[in-house]
Amino acid sequence: MTTTTEKSVNPQAGKAGTPLLEVRDLHVEFRTRDGVAKAVNGVNYSVSAGETLAVLGESGSGKSVTAQAIMGILDSPPGFVTQGQINFQGRDLLKLSEKERRRIRGAKMAMIFQDALSSLNPVLTVGYQLGEMFRVHQGMSRKDAKAKAIELMDRVRIPAARERVNDYPHQFSGGMRQRIMIAMALALEPDLIIADEPTTALDVTVQAQVMDLLAELQREYHMGLILITHDLGVVADVADKIAVMYAGRIVETAPVHELYKQPAHPYTRGLLDSIPRLDQKGQELYAIKGLPPNLLRIPSGCAFNPRCPMAQDVCRTDIPVLHPVTDSRGSACHFWKETLDG
Amino acid sequence: MGRYVLRRLLQMIPVFIGTTLLIFLMVHALGDPIAARFGDKAPDPVVAAQIRAEFNLDKPLWLQYVLYFKGIFTGDFGTAFTGEPVIDLMARSWPVTLKLGLTAFVIEAVVGIALGLVSGLRRGRLTDTVAMAFTLIVISIPVFVLGFTLQYLLGVKWAVIRPTVSYGAPLNELILPGLVLASVSLAYVTRLTRTSVAENLRADYVRTAVAKGLPRRRVVTQHLLRNSLIPVVTFLGTDLGALMGGALVTETIFNIQGVGYNLMQGVRRQESATVVGFVTVLVIVYLVANLLVDLLYAVLDPRIRYA
Ligand SMILES: Nc1ncnc2c1ncn2[C@@H]1O[C@H](COP(=O)(O)OP(=O)(O)OP(=O)(O)O)[C@@H](O)[C@H]1O
Ligand SMILES: [Mg+2]
């Protein structure tokens, strides 16, 4: 009711040409006792309504930190956004007051976390935690909010929602808990959902179910979705485009199928080569040599150069910009042409 | 749940019998109460024999215990050497100690949790540093030093309060003694709450609450605090019993004739009836407080279920 009117009033949502969310040159650092960890170093990406952007990258590449900066839930201190813009529905979120950002959080953009068991409050019923969205953002009564919670649980296909609304998170299975997280994110029909490895903590058997549900709901509500994941298989099925992160930067961005067919960055190629493939059963799995860089001392030039099979002198001195490979894809590699052809 | 409570209550019976017996034996081991009563003078044998007969002291120890135990079930906790029934003594002193203990309890719970919450939320900042230094000082000062100092300053030098508590122990006069009695526990509650809050502040579910767009106030009260209080409640519950039994020093300083005071008198005079009676009730208070904590624990943390 209220949400639908709000949605249609919004001039930016879903309009072709203007992306729903556009992150520009975002920098985030953590000022810790050991020094300044530069976790995000100039990330650029955008998502339109109804579009799915998959964010890939090794552990520690800054995928979650970027998401936290977008949501405005960065652990601060020690984390600080030092530069950049986060344009959402035509406004730079970084210029808003905390109060204005809070109104957007949960209502216009929502986040799904990896581990639903620890991400849900253990001492409150799921009905309470779902209903809280309506009570806080829409001033709904406790009773109406509970009815809404049941509706939501039905929506994400939790069996016997009416009976289970007063249960606690630990009384649900992992898959059901993640459905509750999804329901919570979906509650106010946000325009953008950020899902940070939503299926990693689940059994393989339920991973696909949960992912399908998420993709289905995204289509239905025409939301923008940022899907952070390690699972390249999932990406191929649901994403429209991919952004590959390395040491806090986007090293390659491309429509999914183009990237799979022909990576334009040696790091992306390494990632693709390390996927186990049925036709190469028995062969030793490829692994990118070396370790991700220490964020306190990121190598000069291209951060990937110490691990790159193609590295030349220029890679050790000059930071590569994101070269446009085609209209819709870019690669931050001095030798993107060679990589593309090789 | 009901069966659990019933089982716990039944478990109290052997504990009850065990403690009464133990205390009975301990008081007996202290020596001859008649000799203690007469001090240095040798008691007149006739009078002594009379007293012995009156208090069953001439009977074998096991019989004394059985007779005592039989009495309890008819509400007869025996008689003090002053001639006053122990039950009357208890009826007079328990309300006073209960009032003092509860005053102390409220102070330590309210002030301790509030202070710990603020410290935990502002860990490492000035408020926190000051609060932590303060709790350390309180823990390291012996209670009687704190008691006498506050009594002297507030009651004598500046005369803003009565230095001692008047008969009947009105609540307003119990605030200072309550604070003294609560002091050390208050410091522990503060530190415990602080640690727990700081730990939970980093928990994933708090991050979720923030990501939901909840106001900070709600994140703290509805999400953070309830989880953080679980260990604090355990401490508070066990402390409730300790406050009642440990009020002796405070009661002495402020001349409050409560349980501690009478228990001390009983021990001095080696009156088993008084000592056993008071200690038994203390044990029961302690057991009931513990049961309440366990039940409250299940209310606070739904992952705990008793069967
Ligand atoms: N609260 C924090 N305090 C200090 N440093 C942090 C904090 N959160 C993140 N970082 C730093 O930011 C870096 C990037 O973290 P991030 O969580 O974004 O990685 P990620 O790409 O999501 O990895 P993963 O796949 O393991 O989730 C980390 O390596 C860490 O050094
Ligand atoms: Mg992450």
Side-chain angles (χ1 to χ4, degrees):
Chain A
M1 316 160 297
T2 350
T3 33
T4 31
T5 29
E6 268 175 30
K7 248 179 136 75
S8 53
V9 160
N10 189 335
Q12 296 291 341
K15 202 193 259 182
T18 343
L20 175 68
L21 172 88
E22 190 183 22
V23 179
R24 271 205 208 154
D25 195 31
L26 185 73
H27 287 70
V28 180
E29 60 185 37
F30 288 94
R31 297 171 192 157
T32 64
R33 221 170 276 177
D34 306 326
V36 177
K38 297 199 180 286
V40 176
N41 303 294
V43 161
N44 292 282
Y45 61 54
S46 67
V47 196
S48 300
E51 190 179 43
T52 300
L53 166 74
V55 180
L56 276 181
E58 278 168 303
S59 193
S61 55
K63 307 181 294 291
S64 299
V65 171
T66 309
Q68 286 161 12
I70 294 169
M71 286 297 293
I73 57 168
L74 209 54
D75 200 5
S76 181
F80 296 91
V81 174
T82 52
Q83 203 180 314
Q85 289 178 9
I86 299 170
N87 295 314
F88 179 68
Q89 299 181 328
R91 288 193 288 180
D92 183 357
L93 297 183
L94 296 176
K95 294 210 173 72
L96 300 184
S97 69
E98 171 54 27
K99 202 169 167 193
E100 289 171 303
R101 290 205 79 175
R102 182 165 67 66
R103 290 223 185 86
I104 294 174
R105 272 204 291 273
K108 302 270 173 230
M109 57 165 71
M111 190 155 173
I112 298 166
F113 298 97
Q114 178 178 337
D115 182 0
L117 181 59
S118 66
S119 297
L120 289 167
N121 192 326
V123 305
L124 299 174
T125 64
V126 298
Y128 182 95
Q129 295 185 61
L130 288 168
E132 208 176 17
M133 299 295 285
F134 301 100
R135 290 175 59 200
V136 169
H137 287 278
Q138 298 180 344
M140 212 179 258
S141 74
R142 202 178 266 262
K143 195 166 148 257
D144 293 349
K146 188 177 233 174
K148 278 287 204 179
I150 296 171
E151 212 174 280
L152 274 173
M153 287 167 73
D154 270 333
R155 194 77 203 72
V156 294
R157 296 198 282 271
I158 292 172
R162 192 169 294 279
E163 287 85 68
R164 304 218 61 186
V165 68
N166 292 325
D167 283 356
Y168 293 90
H170 72 274
Q171 292 168 298
F172 290 85
S173 70
M176 288 300 147
R177 269 197 296 267
Q178 195 56 288
R179 281 165 196 264
I180 289 163
M181 279 301 283
I182 292 174
M184 203 149 80
L186 218 67
L188 304 177
E189 299 181 18
D191 301 303
L192 175 72
I193 288 205
I194 304 177
D196 193 348
E197 308 193 25
T199 58
T200 313
L202 301 178
D203 283 350
V204 185
T205 46
V206 293
Q207 279 185 358
Q209 291 170 15
V210 169
M211 203 56 236
D212 287 347
L213 175 72
L214 186 59
E216 176 199 315
L217 293 168
Q218 182 228 356
R219 266 196 306 281
E220 191 181 322
Y221 292 100
H222 202 62
M223 299 176 292
L225 173 65
I226 298 178
L227 180 66
I228 299 171
T229 179
H230 287 289
D231 189 342
L232 284 147
V234 168
V235 172
D237 291 339
V238 301
D240 298 305
K241 57 185 191 185
I242 293 191
V244 181
M245 281 191 78
Y246 189 81
R249 256 180 241 277
I250 304 290
V251 293
E252 179 166 10
T253 166
V256 171
H257 298 290
E258 291 180 36
L259 183 133
Y260 272 66
K261 221 183 308 163
Q262 240 185 345
H265 196 286
Y267 177 63
T268 316
R269 164 163 304 164
L271 282 183
L272 293 177
D273 286 347
S274 53
I275 313 175
R277 280 169 40 180
L278 281 177
D279 54 335
Q280 290 171 354
K281 228 168 145 186
Q283 285 183 29
E284 207 175 310
L285 216 54
Y286 175 83
I288 305 171
K289 67 174 168 98
L291 292 171
N294 180 344
L295 297 177
L296 299 174
R297 287 181 299 277
I298 295 175
S300 62
C302 172
F304 186 57
N305 84 69
R307 305 170 71 186
C308 183
M310 301 175 68
Q312 308 286 321
D313 284 344
V314 62
C315 303
R316 285 179 269 275
T317 51
D318 294 4
I319 298 178
V321 296
L322 199 70
H323 301 281
V325 175
T326 65
D327 282 351
S328 56
R329 57 184 300 192
S331 163
C333 176
H334 294 297
F335 301 99
W336 63 269
K337 276 203 194 79
E338 290 80 345
T339 313
L340 204 59
D341 300 336
Chain B
M1 193 62 136
R3 285 183 56 177
Y4 173 77
V5 174
L6 189 68
R7 208 173 67 215
R8 285 286 298 264
L9 289 172
L10 287 176
Q11 274 171 5
M12 287 184 191
I13 295 172
V15 176
F16 177 74
I17 297 173
T19 25
T20 46
L21 180 61
L22 205 65
I23 304 297
F24 207 85
L25 293 175
M26 276 160 66
V27 176
H28 180 78
L30 284 175
D32 184 4
I34 307 298
R37 198 161 178 231
F38 285 85
D40 295 337
K41 287 183 291 179
D44 174 359
V46 183
V47 179
Q50 224 170 25
I51 299 175
R52 266 181 228 285
E54 190 186 335
F55 291 96
N56 288 332
L57 292 172
D58 52 349
K59 311 214 166 51
L61 192 62
W62 67 267
L63 190 58
Q64 287 184 36
Y65 180 70
V66 170
L67 287 172
Y68 173 77
F69 208 82
K70 216 174 83 191
I72 288 179
F73 283 98
T74 56
D76 177 14
F77 277 82
T79 315
F81 286 162
T82 52
E84 188 178 10
V86 173
I87 190 89
D88 289 356
L89 205 55
M90 290 203 280
R92 194 149 47 79
S93 50
W94 264 105
V96 175
T97 293
L98 219 56
K99 249 199 280 185
L100 176 64
L102 287 179
T103 309
F105 184 76
V106 169
I107 292 174
E108 83 177 55
V110 174
V111 180
I113 289 172
L115 217 56
L117 177 63
V118 174
S119 278
L121 289 175
R122 296 166 187 263
R123 202 150 77 138
R125 301 213 229 135
L126 187 68
T127 333
D128 175 41
T129 316
V130 171
M132 284 307 102
F134 175 73
T135 57
L136 262 189
I137 293 170
V138 170
I139 289 172
S140 50
I141 297 178
V143 175
F144 68 90
V145 174
L146 183 72
F148 279 125
T149 311
L150 288 179
Q151 182 186 42
Y152 173 71
L153 289 179
L154 295 173
V156 182
K157 198 159 175 216
W158 302 324
V160 283
I161 57 157
R162 280 176 58 107
T164 56
V165 174
S166 41
Y167 186 81
L171 207 57
N172 59 333
E173 290 182 18
L174 283 179
I175 292 176
L176 182 66
L179 185 68
V180 170
L181 178 59
S183 60
V184 172
S185 299
L186 186 143
Y188 280 120
V189 170
T190 305
R191 296 180 83 90
L192 195 61
T193 309
R194 170 187 183 260
T195 311
S196 183
V197 163
E199 218 166 76
N200 278 284
L201 204 51
R202 285 196 302 265
D204 287 349
Y205 71 83
V206 171
R207 189 186 56 188
T208 308
V210 176
K212 283 163 84 173
L214 308 184
R216 184 167 168 80
R217 190 183 188 82
R218 194 180 176 93
V219 173
V220 169
T221 55
Q222 301 292 306
H223 290 266
L224 177 66
L225 200 54
R226 268 203 62 185
N227 283 279
S228 305
L229 284 187
I230 294 170
V232 180
V233 165
T234 316
F235 176 82
L236 282 175
T238 41
D239 201 45
L240 190 59
L243 282 178
M244 306 287 169
L248 175 64
V249 175
T250 312
E251 286 183 0
T252 309
I253 297 171
F254 294 98
N255 193 33
I256 303 167
Q257 304 204 350
V259 170
Y261 174 88
N262 282 299
L263 195 53
M264 197 61 212
Q265 297 290 320
V267 172
R268 283 222 187 92
R269 295 192 199 127
Q270 294 168 26
E271 293 176 5
S272 57
T274 312
V275 178
V276 178
F278 274 98
V279 173
T280 304
V281 178
L282 269 176
V283 169
I284 291 174
V285 168
Y286 201 81
L287 290 176
V288 170
N290 263 324
L291 176 59
L292 288 179
V293 171
D294 287 347
L295 296 182
L296 189 59
Y297 207 69
V299 172
L300 281 180
D301 190 346
R303 286 164 296 185
I304 294 168
R305 280 278 166 265
Y306 300 121

